[in-house]
Amino acid sequence: MTALVSCDHTSVGVLIFSTAGLLVFERATPPTGIAPVAGHIDQHGSPEQAAIAEVAEEVGLTVTHLHPLLTAWRPNQCRRPGDGEIGHRWWIYQAQATGPLRPSSQEVHAPRWIYPDQLQQYAHRTAAYAAGNISEPEFAAQPGLTPVWVRFLHDLGLLTMPGDALAQIDEII
């Protein structure tokens, strides 16, 4: 097994929509949860190049158009070794993509297209986990959204969460 690359404190996230909804999957690597395509910028170059590369790496699609949605710093933990700083500068994009879905077995479990009501249900499960109403093993067995994604999706108007729930979720990112 190869050693993990150090955290570069930069990440991209990519929302891919179709008539079937938003593409999400259960992450095969920490942190536990359901999420859209995401990853570190690393040696990909620019955030845009990283977004295109992550889509290809994680779900096997080819990006045909990329639209920036937001940029924000989030103090989310990283599974990679780092310099003591905690968090990432995120660039979130919406992408149009083509090709057959070919998920990476190393990074993706159970890819699926979901509608906003399902996205909201996953966010509520994450809120219940953050509030201590669901144990870590229960959350791992039946995950909600990866915590860092709840605020992004809330800020983008794709789901709605009360402020107290967002604050609790922010404590566990």
Side-chain angles (χ1 to χ4, degrees):
M1 183 169 192
T2 59
L4 289 175
V5 175
S6 293
C7 179
D8 66 357
H9 301 290
T10 59
S11 292
V12 295
V14 185
L15 305 177
I16 303 169
F17 293 93
S18 78
T19 56
L22 172 65
L23 179 60
V24 297
F25 51 84
E26 294 177 27
R27 293 179 45 84
T29 59
T32 300
I34 295 166
V37 170
H40 287 87
I41 291 178
D42 290 330
Q43 295 82 23
H44 293 303
S46 70
E48 294 83 5
Q49 290 167 321
I52 292 165
E54 288 295 330
V55 169
E57 291 169 15
E58 291 187 355
V59 295
L61 298 175
T62 301
V63 171
T64 59
H65 179 75
L66 201 58
H67 176 73
L69 297 174
L70 67 85
T71 301
W73 173 263
R74 300 293 294 142
N76 61 303
Q77 297 285 333
C78 189
R79 67 184 171 87
R80 293 179 174 188
D83 57 11
E85 183 178 19
I86 296 174
H88 298 82
R89 180 100 180 127
W90 283 83
W91 286 263
I92 307 296
Y93 296 93
Q94 182 173 341
Q96 293 175 349
T98 63
L101 194 59
R102 295 181 318 272
S104 163
S105 61
Q106 294 178 331
E107 299 188 55
V108 173
H109 291 293
R112 56 198 173 269
W113 299 93
I114 63 169
Y115 290 109
D117 60 330
Q118 295 166 299
L119 193 63
Q120 189 71 50
Q121 289 171 9
Y122 289 136
H124 286 304
R125 184 150 181 87
T126 304
Y129 171 60
N133 298 326
I134 296 173
S135 70
E136 192 168 329
E138 290 170 321
F139 188 75
Q142 188 177 0
L145 291 174
T146 303
V148 73
W149 274 100
V150 175
R151 185 168 299 271
F152 288 143
L153 296 171
H154 172 84
D155 290 350
L156 291 168
L158 297 172
L159 58 85
T160 304
M161 294 299 291
D164 59 337
L166 286 170
Q168 284 184 318
I169 292 167
D170 283 346
E171 291 295 318
I172 64 167
I173 64 169

